[in-house]
Amino acid sequence: MTEQLDAARQALHAVRDSLRALIDDRETPAAVREALQTEYSDLQTLWRKLDDQELHVAVFGRVSVGKSSLLNALLARDVFATGPLHGVTQRAETDQWTRLGDSPVRVFDTPGIDEIDGQARERLAAQVARRADLVIFVCDADLTQLERSALAQLAEAHRPLLLVLNKADRYSQAEQARLLEQLRAHARGLVQPEHVLLAAADPRPERIVRVGIDGQDVESTRPREPDIAAVAQQVSAILAREGLLLSALNAGLYASEVSDTVATRIAEIRASAAQRVIRGYCLGKGLAVAVNPVPLTDLAAAAALDVTLVFHLSRIYGLPITRHEAGRLVGVISLQLAALMGAVWAVHAASSLLKTLSAGLSVTVTALAQGSVAWYATYLIGQVATRYFVQGRSWGPGGPKRAVHDVLNLVDRESILAEARQALAERLRGRSR
Ligand SMILES: Nc1nc2c(ncn2[C@@H]2O[C@H](COP(=O)(O)OP(=O)(O)OP(=O)(O)O)[C@@H](O)[C@H]2O)c(=O)[nH]1
Ligand SMILES: [Mg+2]
């Protein structure tokens, strides 16, 4: 037992430290932290919970089944408001309960699940389950459809679940036995049979009828103590046996979900930054080719722009390369593009020649044609280079040829050329004004 506990404690420390590393990771862009504020604050809460070795128990169930009463009975003090009206508890609330070995146990009260609409209920169930190491689902009769689906949702989170039939004092012994049997059957697969229990968190006073000296019946009442011994015993047993390990496991699962989301967000942010940068260079190069009067400088300037684009992209992906390396990369990509696109690439390369030949024609027409081809070429180089950086500075098994081939298949040439012509025409009009 102590060995198991030591192992659990070790696991807990390991998860706690990995949580800290995730929270403090300097590589995570501020924009990602901002977009995932809730997740980061949950991580922080989880970290504190692990650091304090706290265990969390939450109640869940329909309104007025006695959720708050059950917690009060477990705490042996009236902490949570209770009452016959529906919806006494409106928000999730918490209070410290007791200590279990080294671990403080914290209990969480929740509003009744039939007080809120479907989506909010799912959210609440997910939140309760994520936070709790053990969930007590309270009911006061056989399960309704709503209760069964809520129970199923909670079970998905793989927390230990207790199903408690409260208000046992309202039922005869025979009824109690029958209800327990029904509940065990209806919760099969979701709750272990020995985790379906009876309780009377706030039993009504006992009615006592005596025969008076005058022969008349005399009625009086006697208050009854809560009967939650079975629940308290199961809760302690489960938490003592697997509480710390569960707590570490659950936090670990959540942290890995968050770290996946962080990775996805970073990829999204990089992708949109990359696309923005690529378009900026497309425009720059399109304009340079369209308006530059000296043919040879066109090509030199254009190539320099492509190299700078690739250099810039490597920084967006956090895989910085030197200008020289960027130049080599552009060379490799251009070679593949030339091989695969023949005609269009040839036009691109010959654009300066074309420009000399077409000197007498309408400047705007030729400038647009050449500029948009140059735009398209830079666009392709940018997309292929992005692919190379997304794969961690690697071409993957198919080499650069495959990467260029895939990008050409994905890109709709006509729409890129149309976009280029439109953007360049706007700029050129602006210039001539
Ligand atoms: N007969 C009987 N009544 C109980 C028992 N437990 C709670 N009640 C009563 O049921 C009513 C509702 O109890 P609460 O604890 O407020 O129920 P809740 O589930 O927290 O309700 P909401 O917060 O409104 O969702 C109160 O009047 C309690 O006194 C019990 O074991 N037996
Ligand atoms: Mg309540």
Side-chain angles (χ1 to χ4, degrees):
M1 188 71 197
T2 45
E3 251 171 55
Q4 249 177 340
L5 211 61
D6 282 346
R9 216 165 267 137
Q10 256 172 22
L12 187 124
H13 288 154
V15 173
R16 180 198 60 189
D17 296 345
S18 73
L19 234 60
R20 192 73 256 162
L22 181 60
I23 296 169
D24 293 342
D25 189 357
R26 284 155 165 273
E27 300 281 300
T28 310
V32 172
R33 283 177 193 280
E34 213 148 286
L36 300 178
Q37 256 174 19
T38 326
E39 283 82 353
Y40 273 94
S41 99
D42 282 352
L43 281 178
Q44 189 63 41
T45 312
L46 267 180
W47 181 83
R48 197 163 310 121
K49 173 176 182 276
L50 292 182
D51 199 46
D52 294 343
Q53 303 202 357
E54 246 182 39
L55 295 173
H56 289 184
V57 173
V59 286
F60 210 68
R62 272 190 305 110
V63 278
S64 254
V65 291
K67 301 179 294 299
S68 304
S69 302
L70 183 71
L71 290 184
N72 287 341
L74 285 168
L75 293 165
R77 51 181 196 270
D78 283 345
V79 177
F80 301 108
T82 64
L85 294 177
H86 272 199
V88 174
T89 309
Q90 288 291 334
R91 288 180 303 113
E93 294 172 58
T94 175
D95 191 78
Q96 186 140 319
W97 173 22
T98 179
R99 294 191 75 84
L100 199 95
D102 292 338
S103 300
V105 176
R106 204 178 259 275
V107 297
F108 287 82
D109 198 4
T110 58
I113 50 174
D114 38 359
E115 273 292 280
I116 43 187
D117 70 55
Q119 273 193 343
R121 188 162 56 238
E122 274 179 38
R123 258 202 314 279
L124 182 71
Q127 206 181 38
V128 166
R130 179 187 303 154
R131 202 186 260 177
D133 301 301
L134 176 105
V135 179
I136 306 179
F137 194 98
V138 186
C139 62
D140 62 0
D142 194 8
L143 295 179
T144 63
Q145 195 52 46
L146 177 96
E147 286 175 313
R148 243 183 286 178
S149 66
L151 198 61
Q153 258 168 36
L154 282 174
E156 273 173 26
H158 302 291
R159 275 15 177 210
L161 266 172
L162 292 186
L163 176 58
V164 173
L165 174 69
N166 189 34
K167 306 191 184 177
D169 57 300
R170 297 199 311 190
Y171 300 106
S172 70
Q173 292 226 313
E175 285 170 329
Q176 289 177 5
R178 186 175 49 79
L179 273 169
L180 273 183
E181 201 176 312
Q182 279 175 351
L183 286 173
R184 286 186 176 130
H186 282 148
R188 188 169 299 137
L190 303 174
V191 183
Q192 297 170 26
E194 66 273 24
H195 288 173
V196 182
L197 303 163
L198 284 173
D202 187 13
R204 294 295 86 117
E206 208 169 3
R207 253 181 76 219
I208 300 164
V209 182
R210 251 181 330 108
V211 182
I213 34 174
D214 54 356
Q216 298 278 333
D217 285 355
V218 180
E219 265 195 48
S220 62
T221 57
R222 189 165 57 199
R224 269 193 286 197
E225 287 297 306
D227 180 4
I228 48 118
V231 178
Q233 195 249 325
Q234 256 314 345
V235 170
S236 308
I238 293 175
L239 291 184
R241 205 169 51 233
E242 42 196 331
L244 286 183
L245 194 56
L246 271 172
S247 158
L249 259 168
N250 297 336
L253 275 177
Y254 182 62
S256 79
E257 266 171 46
V258 174
S259 90
D260 284 353
T261 319
V262 169
T264 313
R265 282 301 172 102
I266 292 178
E268 282 167 7
I269 286 179
R270 281 179 170 158
S272 78
Q275 292 310 318
R276 243 193 346 266
V277 164
I278 291 171
R279 286 215 151 54
Y281 279 87
C282 284
L283 183 63
K285 183 161 131 194
L287 282 174
V289 168
V291 303
N292 201 316
V294 187
L296 259 182
T297 339
D298 284 4
L299 278 186
L305 271 175
D306 288 342
V307 173
T308 316
L309 164 62
V310 170
F311 182 76
H312 201 150
L313 287 174
S314 77
R315 266 131 191 94
I316 289 179
Y317 281 90
L319 299 165
I321 57 175
T322 62
R323 243 163 233 287
H324 182 70
E325 286 169 318
R328 271 219 313 268
L329 206 56
V330 170
V332 170
I333 299 172
S334 299
L335 215 65
Q336 293 300 330
L337 279 169
L340 283 168
M341 322 181 12
V344 175
W345 201 258
V347 171
H348 166 56
S351 77
S352 47
L353 188 66
L354 265 176
K355 187 175 248 179
T356 331
L357 293 175
S358 59
L361 299 176
S362 151
V363 173
T364 327
V365 172
T366 52
L368 273 188
Q370 294 156 16
S372 50
V373 171
W375 172 306
Y376 180 53
T378 293
Y379 183 82
L380 291 176
I381 289 175
Q383 300 305 331
V384 177
T386 299
R387 180 169 283 242
Y388 174 78
F389 292 122
V390 165
Q391 294 175 359
R393 265 187 86 176
S394 146
W395 289 119
K401 186 171 176 181
R402 175 92 243 151
V404 171
H405 183 86
D406 288 351
V407 165
L408 282 174
N409 271 343
L410 280 172
V411 168
D412 174 7
R413 181 201 295 180
E414 285 319 309
S415 75
I416 299 292
L417 284 173
E419 181 192 335
R421 271 193 296 271
Q422 199 192 344
L424 290 173
E426 272 168 26
R427 291 303 173 101
L428 291 175
R429 258 202 312 278
R431 280 174 66 96
S432 62
R433 238 187 254 132

